[in-house]
């Protein structure tokens, strides 16, 4: 059947087999006694120039093959953010900003920094905009437990699933940091392979086996000493500003990391000019970044067109346009877990936030006319109406059931177990856009409001780090759905499955392969959320690929003009 043929699954590989998510100071209480390395998207580590301490010694990102005092840092939370202490010289020196010379360096006086939810390291300057230095991933290098792949302090089945997925993907040293290599090498032979997976599984099953001690390699790549910039030298900066028939003075501060010297510098320019703002024009494919175009063309020609994932006139693009900037969801609840009224009231906003993480990339692009997409939940299809606690008179409930078409596939693939219910709610197909995907002349049955576009399907017995997605909606475990509503579950799996709703493919195969990723990889240095394990968020390239697809399909005859 159509649904089963196009299922796109995301297993536990989505939990960043390549790296951990960036830890945010706003949400994590840092352990002062735990040392961290700070890895940037290019795989380099924040390190002390020359590898030796001293007042005013510069700091930047460098290649590393292990841990050393010059690339290890300790965090302490303060009222102003965090202080970052170097492991050099018994912690005598701190990371600080030299605002006069515009760079990061060491000092015996602690500087204040912010490490946001987005993973970006920022300086802290009261009363002015804080400069942004880099996006970083903190990875603990002390107080580690062998097998604790996800770094949560507990060795459990989640770590086993992630380690197995990484080994199956045959990840190399460039995609798996030396920290992850160390905690995954359970037998201590220096190689990350199936033997490590088997040993960890035996350990978790309580068999009489021992895991090796964690052994992080010592870094052999000492960063070169940086030369001090000559007085008065700055990096070039381009300032663009427009006003509306007024004279405006604007001060712009930009922080850059030069590729040649690997040093941070702030460049400031004060510009006063009078211009008349021209009518705002949408960006088009003429504005598409040249460095992204080859990869996007390859994905469109070899994956999306070949697989037909955007040919059905039922993608999320189609749903939003037909709904005039709205999406209607039904919650399919293949579970007997209770859902409170408060959780149901939170569900539309959670879905709306997730959808707009994607569609925000379309604002101002090539005729896309929606600045924000409104999401409504218009009904609940359930196995048991009693699961809906404190049911309200205006809540629409569907109670018909059918056999679970997905159950056998889930169990055989390891995506679920025998507790998956043998029956599932029957969706109201007469008002479902996806159910009529093959009929290009179909319009919403009855009034505009009387329709639903997609479902969010929660299933008992499905693994919590797995999912399916396509134009029909997103399928997750019931616990994942509840966690998303309550804000305790990361959205990256939901966002990945939504990506399939727009027509984006999985990248399970190798470079240039028929089920793989573009030759040369993903431009931009962030990989893709659609490549399981390589990103925890919608990347810059993902956003551009979303725009690219819209430009390809928007002018199809009759598609968006009905």
């Amino acid at each position: 059947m159509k649904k089963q043929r196009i299922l796109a699954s995301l297993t536990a590989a989505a939990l960043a087999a390549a790296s951990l998510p960036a830890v945010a100071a706003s949400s994590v209480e840092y352990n002062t006694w735990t040392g961290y390395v700070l890895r940037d998207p290019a795989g380099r580590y924040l390190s002390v120039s020359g590898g030796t301490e001293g007042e005013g010694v510069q700091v930047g990102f460098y290649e590393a093959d292990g841990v050393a005092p010059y690339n290890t840092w300790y965090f302490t939370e303060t009222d102003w953010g965090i202080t970052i202490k170097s492991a050099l010289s018994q912690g005598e020196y701190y990371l600080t900003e030299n605002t006069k010379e515009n760079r990061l360096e060491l000092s015996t006086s602690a500087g204040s920094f912010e490490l946001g939810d987005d993973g970006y390291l920022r300086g802290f300057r009261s009363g002015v905009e804080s400069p942004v230095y880099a996006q970083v991933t903190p990875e603990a290098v002390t107080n580690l437990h062998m097998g604790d792949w996800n770094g949560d302090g507990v060795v459990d089945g989640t770590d086993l699933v992630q380690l197995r997925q990484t080994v199956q993907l045959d990840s190399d040293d460039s995609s798996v940091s030396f920290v992850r290599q160390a905690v995954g090498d359970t037998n201590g032979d220096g190689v990350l392979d199936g033997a490590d997976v088997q040993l960890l599984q035996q350990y978790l099953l309580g068999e009489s086996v021992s895991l090796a001690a964690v052994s992080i390699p010592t870094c052999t790549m000492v960063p070169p000493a940086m030369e001090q910039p000559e007085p008065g030298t700055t990096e070039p900066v381009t300032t663009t500003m427009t006003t509306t028939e007024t004279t405006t003075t604007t001060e712009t501060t930009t922080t850059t990391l030069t590729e040649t010297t690997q040093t941070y510098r702030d460049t400031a320019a004060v510009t006063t000019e009078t211009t008349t703002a021209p009518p705002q024009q949408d960006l088009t494919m003429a504005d598409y970044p040249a460095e992204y175009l080859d990869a996007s063309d390859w994905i469109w020609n070899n994956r999306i067109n070949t697989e037909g994932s955007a040919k059905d006139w039922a993608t999320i693009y189609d749903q939003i346009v037909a709904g005039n900037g709205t999406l209607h969801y039904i919650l399919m609840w293949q579970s007997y877990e209770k859902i409170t009224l408060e959780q149901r009231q939170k569900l539309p906003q959670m879905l709306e936030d997730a959808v707009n993480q994607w569609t925000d990339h379309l604002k101002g692009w090539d005729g896309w006319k929606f600045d924000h997409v409104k999401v409504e939940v218009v009904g609940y299809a359930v196995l048991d109406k009693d699961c809906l606690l404190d049911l309200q008179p205006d809540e629409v409930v569907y109670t018909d059931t059918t056999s679970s078409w997905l159950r056998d596939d889930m169990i055989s693939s390891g995506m679920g177990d025998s507790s998956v219910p043998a029956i599932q709610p029957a969706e109201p197909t007469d008002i479902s856009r996806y159910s009529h995907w093959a009929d290009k002349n179909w319009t919403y049955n009855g009034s505009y409001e009387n329709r639903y576009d997609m479902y969010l399907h929660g299933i008992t017995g499905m693994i919590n780090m797995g999912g399916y997605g396509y134009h029909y909606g997103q399928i997750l475990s019931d616990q994942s759905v509840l966690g998303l509503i309550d804000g305790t579950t990361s959205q990256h799996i939901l966002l990945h499955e939504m990506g399939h709703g727009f027509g984006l493919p999985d990248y399970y195969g190798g470079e240039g392969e028929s089920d793989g990723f573009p030759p040369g990889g993903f431009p931009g240095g962030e990989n893709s959320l659609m490549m399981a394990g390589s990103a925890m968020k919608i990347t810059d390239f993902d956003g551009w690929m979303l725009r690219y697809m819209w430009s390809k399909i928007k002018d199809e005859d009759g598609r968006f003009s009905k």
Side-chain angles (χ1 to χ4, degrees), residues 20 145 147-156 158-159 162 180:
L20 294 178
H145 305 282
D148 182 19
W149 184 268
N150 63 6
D152 65 358
V154 179
V155 182
D156 56 20
T158 301
D159 300 301
Q162 294 180 47
R180 301 276 71 74

Side-chain angles (χ1 to χ4, degrees), residues 142-255:
T142 63
N143 304 323
L144 298 178
H145 305 282
M146 177 57 78
D148 182 19
W149 184 268
N150 63 6
D152 65 358
V154 179
V155 182
D156 56 20
T158 301
D159 300 301
L160 176 63
V161 172
Q162 294 180 47
L163 177 60
R164 178 184 290 116
Q165 184 66 41
T166 301
V167 170
Q168 290 173 345
L169 290 174
D170 193 25
S171 298
D172 57 25
D173 290 341
S174 64
S175 61
V176 180
S177 71
F178 59 76
V179 179
R180 301 276 71 74
Q181 291 274 348
V183 297
D185 183 19
T186 60
N187 61 10
D189 66 355
V191 179
L192 201 63
D193 57 19
D196 299 305
V197 177
Q198 182 178 3
L199 183 61
L200 182 57
Q201 178 172 303
Q202 292 174 310
Y203 174 81
L204 292 173
L205 290 173
E207 298 182 17
S208 182
V209 295
S210 298
L211 303 182
V214 177
S215 178
I216 297 181
T218 299
C219 187
T220 63
M221 305 169 70
V222 180
M226 280 184 191
E227 296 181 2
Q228 300 288 347
E230 296 180 7
T233 61
T234 60
E235 296 296 323
V237 61
T238 300
T239 301
T240 302
M241 56 176 287
T242 59
T243 63
T244 306
E245 299 293 352
T246 59
T247 301
T248 306
T249 302
T250 303
E251 181 171 327
T252 303
T253 302
T254 305
T255 304

Side-chain angles (χ1 to χ4, degrees), residues 137 155 450:
T137 299
V155 182
N450 182 30

Side-chain angles (χ1 to χ4, degrees), residues 248-538:
T248 306
T249 302
T250 303
E251 181 171 327
T252 303
T253 302
T254 305
T255 304
T256 59
L257 176 63
T258 67
E259 292 296 330
T260 54
T261 62
Q262 290 185 306
T263 180
Y264 290 102
R265 297 176 183 172
D266 290 332
T267 57
V270 177
T271 306
T272 302
E273 59 182 69
T274 301
T275 62
T276 300
Q280 184 172 349
Q281 300 291 326
D282 277 354
L283 298 177
T284 68
M285 285 301 296
D287 303 291
Y288 204 81
E291 65 271 23
Y292 287 1
L293 192 56
D294 285 347
S296 299
D297 284 341
W298 187 92
I299 293 169
W300 176 260
N301 293 324
N302 295 277
R303 298 298 313 275
I304 296 171
N305 254 353
T306 300
E307 296 163 20
S309 60
K311 290 180 180 178
D312 300 345
W313 290 11
T315 68
I316 298 179
Y317 296 108
D318 298 274
Q319 295 169 22
I320 293 171
V321 173
N324 195 28
T326 65
L327 283 174
H328 283 187
Y329 265 85
I330 279 180
L331 178 64
M332 299 264 288
W333 201 238
Q334 193 175 346
S335 170
Y336 295 97
E337 288 281 341
K338 307 293 185 184
I339 310 177
T340 67
L341 176 60
E342 182 183 10
Q343 288 172 322
R344 299 197 302 278
Q345 291 171 337
K346 290 180 179 179
L347 178 59
Q349 188 61 55
M350 182 277 289
L351 289 169
E352 187 170 315
D353 290 344
V355 167
N356 282 277
Q357 286 187 55
W358 278 109
T359 58
D360 279 352
H361 292 277
L362 295 170
K363 289 191 295 187
W365 178 258
D366 207 3
W368 182 261
K369 59 183 179 179
F370 308 107
D371 286 341
H372 187 81
V373 177
K374 178 68 175 176
V375 173
E376 298 178 40
V377 175
V378 297
Y380 305 90
V382 298
L383 299 180
D384 184 353
K385 193 173 183 178
D386 290 340
C387 292
L388 305 174
L389 301 181
D390 194 16
L391 186 64
Q392 300 298 295
D394 61 345
E395 291 185 300
V396 178
V397 182
Y398 304 93
T399 57
D400 289 344
T401 61
T402 186
S403 60
S404 180
W405 57 270
L406 186 55
R407 183 176 189 270
D408 290 344
D409 178 78
M410 291 176 62
I411 294 174
S412 63
S413 66
M415 289 284 283
D417 58 34
S418 59
S419 66
V420 175
I423 58 173
Q424 70 177 47
E427 60 178 299
T429 56
D430 58 325
I431 59 171
S432 163
R433 182 180 184 89
Y434 176 75
S435 297
H436 299 83
W437 66 270
D439 182 3
K440 292 186 177 181
N441 294 316
W442 185 83
T443 56
Y444 291 123
N445 185 23
S447 70
Y448 157 75
E449 294 298 331
N450 182 30
R451 105 283 180 178
Y452 89 91
D453 303 297
M454 290 187 293
Y455 54 67
L456 178 64
H457 190 163
I459 303 180
T460 291
M462 187 176 182
I463 64 171
N464 291 336
M465 280 77 68
Y468 300 91
Y470 198 59
H471 308 160
Y472 53 74
Q474 301 85 47
I475 304 175
L476 306 171
S477 77
D478 54 354
Q479 297 305 310
S480 291
V481 172
L482 294 175
L484 285 164
I485 294 172
D486 295 334
T488 59
T489 297
S490 169
Q491 286 194 338
H492 68 280
I493 296 178
L494 174 66
L495 293 171
H496 174 105
E497 305 309 343
M498 282 184 176
H500 292 312
F502 285 100
L504 293 168
D506 282 307
Y507 303 108
Y508 287 141
E511 181 176 345
E513 295 180 359
S514 61
D515 61 344
F517 57 92
F522 297 96
E526 297 180 299
N527 290 318
S528 170
L529 180 65
M530 307 309 295
M531 184 179 185
S534 73
M536 293 287 288
K537 64 181 181 66
I538 300 168

